[in-house]
Each structure stands twice: as structure tokens, then as C-alpha cells.
Amino acid sequence: MPPAHKDRPLGRLDRWFGLTAHGTTVKTEVVAGATTFLTMAYILFVNPSILAAAGMPEGPVFVATAVAAIAGTLIMALAANYPIALAPGMGLNAFFAFTVVLTNGFTWQEALAAVFCSGVIFVAISLVGLRRIIIDSIPANLKRAIAAGIGLFLGIIAMENAGIVVDSPATLVTAGDFSSAPVILALIGFALISALNAIGLVGGTIIGILVVTVLGVPFGLVEFNGLVSLPPDPTPTVFALDFAKIATGTFWIVVFSLLLVDLFDTAGTLLGVSSRAGLLDKDGRLPRMRQALFADSTATVIGSLVGTSNTTSYVESATGVAAGGRTGLTSITVAALFALGLLFSPLAAAIPPYATAGALLFVATIMLQGLADIDWTDPTEVTPAAVCAISMPFTYSISEGIGLGFITYVLVKLFSGRLSDLSPGVVLIAVAFGAFFIYG
């Protein structure tokens, strides 16, 4: 028997995560987890600032954000064995603050109750397999478009974080100031990360992020306020749910709106990231989908109890996949770093958005490869796929891009007289999205 490679995991760890079977090692998985964490650590600081608009105290929400990320990511690692990290979702937190609280007149405690109920429903339909039935009904070309659309979505997020793209009252978006230090450093980071990955350097993405962060120090772009601080007191938001509105129709509209958005944000992320990791089977389905969805839904319940909006799978997990992550050990690493983030919050806060923008932009280019696998000879397949992919960055929403793709798919097939291509699940999903867009 040949001797084991010094980096090849042995025994119980290898059997649990199947590292050898997935062609990976402990070192690769840890580097991948660290890469994912660095690209999504911003949520520890962005989520509290968004939920503060709803009147929530930022310190306790900081802790709740970390706890929800740790719990959800650990469940994903141990139950589903996937390299996918979870945290309170961007977009969902804005819906919580600006729609549920500031528009519908909920208190943040009542909004947390709605999140809790949506999470309980998530768990129920995940356990009975209904969510998998819905997700498995997505046509193959739409699945490929979802992966590419997530890449485009990551691309615009990266360019926005770097200042390469800025808002414009005349044209919606326009070019930023290319002479500014953040833009220049982000482009250097993107080129460096792309080159390091091209030559196969392990940890090339992390190295690029850290190099660009250090380069920003002379320009005064890095705020360093020490290494360690104790976590804030979490008690103001723990078990603060208020079910006073549970008997009202508005409450349940909010619950099912959260359900619908979270369902397809999660579906898009799971399929897109898993496709890049080569985890889908020959039919384009994700094995252990039920366990993955259970992790996502359970994390939402836990997050609501400690004081944050819906927790969901993160598209930034694609950075870890690009760094070689293939199993739950990647997610274990992410969870451990989120736990450390509670103590080392000043250090985590020192990594500026432009430093991670290059990594996100690199992953965006990788995920666009899904477009090459679409059947471009059939207009009834190409049109919905293109609408799905293009809509994600332009609507700034994964779920709305998926919805527009489904609606277009059904209408194009219907008008083309190809009703046999339509499954009941696809039609129901398209109708549900149509109702959500009109009335939601």
C-alpha cells in the first residue's frame, strides 16, 4: 500500500466528509473555507446597519448575524456535506427593514415573528420533499442560466463595491472614477487573483485579497482599530418575537413573501454553486438536496430567535468552490471563522470592500461558463435562459431573475404550441411568480 500524502486526510475525518472521494485535502478545504469567509464577512457589519433602519440595536444584531451564520453553516456541513456557507441574506434584510417594518408598519419584533413562521414552513416543506420537487422541476437550460445569472449578479456587486460602477440619475448606472485608489486597487486585485489561480497557486484568492488590503494602507483606505474585542450583549434581540399580528392577513402575506423570495434565492444559489463544484448528478439534480434545504430553513428559524432576518445560502460560497472546496469541511472552516469573528471583529472589519471585489469579479467570470452549455439552437430555450440571466443583475435580485425566466419560459412554450415541454410544476411556479409580482 503506497504511503499517504502528507496532506491527505486519514481515518474518521476522511470517512465523514469523503475528502479522498471528492479529490480534495484538508489543506484545500481549509483554504477554501477561509476564502469564502473573507468574501462574505462583510455581512457581519452590513446586516446590523440595514436592520438598524428598522429600529433594531446594532450590537445585538451583530451577534445574531454571526450566530445565524455559524448555526446554518454547521448544519449544512454536517447534514448535507456541501461547501456552502449561510448567513442572513442581503435583499431579505432590506425587505425586512424597508418593506415589512417601515412600509407595512410592523415593529421589528413582529417582523421577527414573521421570519420565524416562514422558517417553520420552510422546515416543514423541506422535510416532506416539496421544495426539492419545486427545484427539480426547473428546466435544464434555466438551471444553467441561473448559474450564469448568479455570476453576472456577483459581477455587478463586485463592481459596485469597488466603485467601478456607480449609480446615475440619467442612465441608472455609469462608470465610476477610474483614477480613484479603490478602483485601481480592485482591478489590480482582480488581475492578481486571476493570475494566481491560472498558475494553480493554492490560496491565490486569499493572497490577492490580503495583498490588496495591505496596498490600501498608504492611501488611508484601511481602518484598523485593534485585533480583539468582546462581543456585544445579545439579550435585547434574543427571543424578542412578537406574534401580535399573527391573526391578520397582512402578517401571512409577509410570511409567504419571505417564503417565496427565500425559496428561490436559496434554489438559485445551491444550483449555481453546486454546478460550478461539479456536485450535480447526470440529470442536473443535487444529491442530498433535502438536507441542504433543511439547513437553510433551520438557520432561518434560529436566526429569528436570536434576532435577525432570513438566513440563506450565500453566492459568495462560489469563491471557496473556485479555490477547491468540495465538502462540508469547507463549511466547517467558515463557521469557525465566523465564531472567531465575534472576538476579532476589528480585524475582520479592516478588510475593505474593494479588496474582496476582485475575488467576486473573478468568480463571476468563472460562473459565466454556464452559458456555453445552453442549447442555443432552440429559441424557446434560449430566450427564457437569457431573460433569467440578464434579469438578476438588472433587478439586483436572484429570485426575481428566476421568476422572470420561469414566466418567459411558460409564455414562449405556450405561444410556440409546445405545451408538451411544460410540466405542471413549471406552470405552477410561473403562475406563483406572476401573482407575487402583481400582488406581492
Side-chain angles (χ1 to χ4, degrees):
M1 182 177 178
H5 187 278
K6 66 178 180 180
D7 190 41
R8 184 174 296 280
L10 299 173
R12 189 176 303 172
L13 187 65
D14 192 8
R15 290 194 299 272
W16 181 271
F17 292 107
L19 301 182
T20 301
H22 285 88
T24 185
T25 65
V26 171
K27 178 181 178 181
T28 299
E29 295 290 299
V30 170
V31 168
T35 303
T36 296
F37 173 76
L38 285 175
T39 57
M40 64 183 289
Y42 68 86
I43 195 62
L44 285 170
F45 312 100
V46 175
N47 195 49
S49 67
I50 291 177
L51 297 189
M56 299 189 72
E58 291 195 50
V61 173
F62 171 85
V63 177
T65 302
V67 170
I70 294 166
T73 305
L74 282 176
I75 296 171
M76 179 68 74
L78 300 176
N81 194 26
Y82 285 134
I84 296 173
L86 293 85
M90 291 294 293
L92 285 160
N93 51 12
F95 179 79
F96 178 102
F98 300 107
T99 300
V100 180
V101 175
L102 297 181
T103 301
N104 293 339
F106 281 48
T107 65
W108 61 263
Q109 293 90 341
E110 292 167 343
L112 285 177
V115 172
F116 173 82
C117 289
S118 72
V120 171
I121 296 173
F122 290 169
V123 172
I125 65 177
S126 296
L127 290 176
V128 300
L130 180 58
R131 286 179 79 177
R132 169 152 195 160
I133 292 173
I134 294 172
I135 294 173
D136 282 347
S137 68
I138 301 175
N141 284 314
L142 276 183
K143 289 180 180 178
R144 299 180 182 112
I146 288 170
I150 291 174
L152 292 172
F153 186 62
L154 280 174
I156 196 169
I157 291 174
M159 292 187 190
E160 181 185 11
N161 288 347
I164 298 171
V165 171
V166 296
D167 65 322
S168 166
T171 60
L172 295 182
V173 294
T174 189
D177 181 4
F178 282 15
S179 65
S180 68
V183 171
I184 293 172
L185 290 172
L187 291 174
I188 291 174
F190 170 62
L192 178 61
I193 289 168
S194 299
L196 293 178
N197 279 277
I199 64 176
L201 181 64
V202 176
T205 303
I206 293 179
I207 293 171
I209 291 172
L210 296 178
V211 167
V212 173
T213 298
V214 171
L215 290 176
V217 173
F219 298 95
L221 298 175
V222 178
E223 296 182 8
F224 183 72
N225 297 310
L227 292 174
V228 180
S229 65
L230 291 174
D233 178 14
T235 54
T237 59
V238 174
F239 300 122
L241 294 73
D242 183 352
F243 292 90
K245 293 186 183 293
I246 195 169
T248 67
T250 303
F251 180 87
W252 290 104
I253 289 174
V254 168
V255 168
F256 284 103
S257 295
L258 290 168
L259 173 70
L260 191 63
V261 174
D262 198 2
L263 169 62
F264 284 96
D265 270 355
T266 299
T269 300
L270 285 175
L271 291 174
V273 174
S274 300
S275 176
R276 291 306 314 150
L279 298 174
L280 301 182
D281 62 20
K282 59 183 179 61
D283 298 317
R285 298 182 179 183
L286 181 63
R288 305 185 303 283
M289 173 69 84
R290 181 178 298 184
Q291 292 92 323
L293 294 174
F294 175 76
D296 182 88
S297 52
T298 303
T300 289
V301 173
I302 294 171
S304 69
L305 293 175
V306 295
T308 187
S309 51
N310 294 62
T311 301
T312 188
S313 301
Y314 254 59
V315 294
E316 285 85 352
S317 301
T319 61
V321 167
R326 292 296 181 269
T327 76
L329 188 55
T330 293
S331 299
I332 293 284
T333 303
V334 176
L337 290 173
F338 267 111
L340 285 176
L342 283 169
L343 298 175
F344 294 89
S345 56
L347 181 61
I351 297 175
Y354 68 81
T356 58
L360 291 177
L361 192 55
F362 169 70
V363 173
T365 64
I366 299 298
M367 297 192 73
L368 286 176
Q369 294 176 8
L371 293 174
D373 299 323
I374 292 175
D375 180 7
W376 292 95
T377 63
D378 185 350
T380 68
E381 296 287 331
V382 171
T383 303
V387 167
C388 178
I390 294 172
S391 296
M392 288 188 195
F394 289 159
T395 62
Y396 216 77
S397 170
I398 293 173
S399 59
E400 291 186 9
I402 294 173
L404 290 171
F406 266 99
I407 292 171
T408 304
Y409 188 88
V410 170
L411 291 178
V412 170
K413 293 291 186 180
L414 177 64
F415 296 155
S416 300
R418 295 174 57 173
L419 297 180
S420 60
D421 290 347
L422 296 174
S423 68
V426 170
V427 175
L428 286 174
I429 292 171
V431 169
F433 265 116
F436 175 72
F437 288 155
I438 295 171
Y439 301 109

